[in-house]
Amino acid sequence: MSTHAPVSADVAIVRPARREPSAWTLALQALIRRKAALAALIVLLAIVLSCLLAPLLSPYDPVEGQVRDRLLPVGSAGHWLGTDEQGRDLLSRMLYGGRLSLLSGFAPVVLATVIGGALGIAAGYFGGLANTIIMRSLDVVFSFPAILLAIGISAALGPGIVNIIISATVVFVPPIARIAESATKEVAKEEYIEAAKSSGADSGLIIRAHVLRNVFGKLFVFSTSQIGGCLVIASGLSFLGLGVAPPTPEWGFMLNNLKQLIFIHPVVTVVPGLFIFLTSLSVNLVSDALSDAFDAKR
């Protein structure tokens, strides 16, 4: 015999509220929905993974060549992307060179996001004198053309990937700080920030628990959009001879090294530039999809 009391017909059945999808879920849906962005993501992941796995995928040593194999065209047997003037396999050099190129494209943006984000959040949250000192100081850096500033810093520091990363980081800190400061000002006006201040919470806790969480999405999308430009700037610095020392492969340096072959093997000459273009374009397409997804969430 059942001991349960009968359920009255007048009792309403309470259903759990439907949770809204997170911004990251919307971002993933946007990438899947946009065929161009999804293809760009696949291309980007293929390039990154291929470069990371260069020791396993590279058919030859990237710095050693055979004189008898010099200046082979694209599609040659055993050398799919051809060879350079010293007989070095370009596919192997592209895979190994991509490690340094991707590092010099991603690392400055990550560092600039941390530094510029911290400065922008501090300026936007505290305001007043702190805002004036931080933002006006960054405006001095922001007033210089990005590529000229990067060239000047790299030339002063000397050639090398580390110095390229430093110079590119300095270039990208001001624009990222501006985005962080603007977003922080909007968040600082919200009622929950005032409530947190009234409860006695210290500024560090409020920034970590409320401001950073609400600013991160906009900051992440903008920073992602800067990776393509950073890769182009870093490759340009290497093209000018401010990057790696030969015979170390790097896409910008390889583009400079192969330019002398433009009238002999023009297709071989553009191979490094094509990889720079594809990587930069893929990052921009993925960034656009992420931006639309976060805008829809807001």
Side-chain angles (χ1 to χ4, degrees):
M1 181 176 178
S2 174
T3 59
H4 295 285
V7 178
S8 171
D10 296 332
V11 177
I13 299 176
V14 179
R15 299 182 182 275
R18 184 179 179 182
R19 296 181 59 183
E20 293 186 2
S22 66
W24 298 107
T25 302
L26 291 174
L28 180 60
Q29 292 174 351
L31 286 174
I32 296 175
R33 187 167 54 252
R34 288 189 174 193
K35 294 182 179 179
L38 182 60
L41 179 61
I42 294 173
V43 170
L44 181 61
L45 290 176
I47 292 175
V48 172
L49 289 176
S50 297
C51 294
L52 291 177
L53 299 176
L56 300 177
L57 300 178
S58 178
Y60 300 95
D61 189 301
V63 297
E64 293 184 4
Q66 298 292 332
V67 178
R68 66 174 183 275
D69 293 331
R70 61 191 302 268
L71 301 180
L72 292 179
V74 174
S76 300
H79 301 280
W80 294 353
L81 295 182
T83 58
D84 62 10
E85 76 287 354
Q86 297 185 30
R88 296 173 297 196
D89 181 65
L90 282 182
L91 176 58
S92 300
R93 290 181 63 78
M94 290 302 303
L95 292 176
Y96 277 94
R99 290 176 153 192
L100 294 178
S101 294
L102 293 175
L103 177 64
S104 59
F106 282 83
V109 174
V110 174
L111 293 174
T113 301
V114 174
I115 299 171
L119 293 174
I121 290 174
Y125 181 81
F126 294 106
L129 182 61
N131 182 288
T132 301
I133 295 174
I134 294 173
M135 299 311 297
R136 297 298 76 79
S137 299
L138 292 177
D139 284 345
V140 174
V141 181
F142 198 67
S143 63
F144 292 93
I147 186 63
L148 294 182
L149 179 61
I151 291 173
I153 296 174
S154 293
L157 295 177
I161 287 296
V162 174
N163 293 336
I164 285 181
I165 292 175
I166 293 173
S167 61
T169 299
V170 173
V171 167
F172 285 97
V173 163
I176 291 176
R178 280 190 172 187
I179 295 298
E181 187 240 3
S182 176
T184 302
K185 281 185 174 180
E186 295 179 4
V187 173
K189 298 176 182 178
E190 299 293 335
E191 294 181 357
Y192 58 84
I193 298 294
E194 295 297 330
K197 291 180 179 179
S198 301
S199 68
D202 63 86
S203 298
L205 178 60
I206 295 174
I207 291 174
R208 291 194 304 271
H210 298 293
V211 177
L212 184 59
R213 184 174 61 181
N214 289 280
V215 170
F216 179 76
K218 183 178 292 187
L219 195 59
F220 175 79
V221 171
F222 179 77
S223 298
T224 304
S225 69
Q226 302 302 296
I227 295 176
C230 185
L231 177 63
V232 173
I233 289 177
S235 298
L237 294 176
S238 293
F239 180 87
L240 295 174
L242 297 173
V244 299
T248 305
E250 194 275 338
W251 291 349
F253 172 75
M254 291 174 62
L255 193 61
N256 180 29
N257 198 42
L258 293 171
K259 71 180 187 297
Q260 57 186 327
L261 306 178
I262 191 169
F263 296 110
I264 303 175
H265 293 292
V267 178
V268 170
T269 305
V270 302
V271 168
L274 180 62
F275 272 76
I276 295 172
F277 170 76
L278 284 177
T279 306
S280 179
L281 178 63
S282 299
V283 171
N284 289 336
L285 289 174
V286 172
S287 176
D288 287 343
L290 291 176
S291 178
D292 291 344
F294 277 93
D295 287 342
K297 179 64 177 177
R298 289 193 294 268

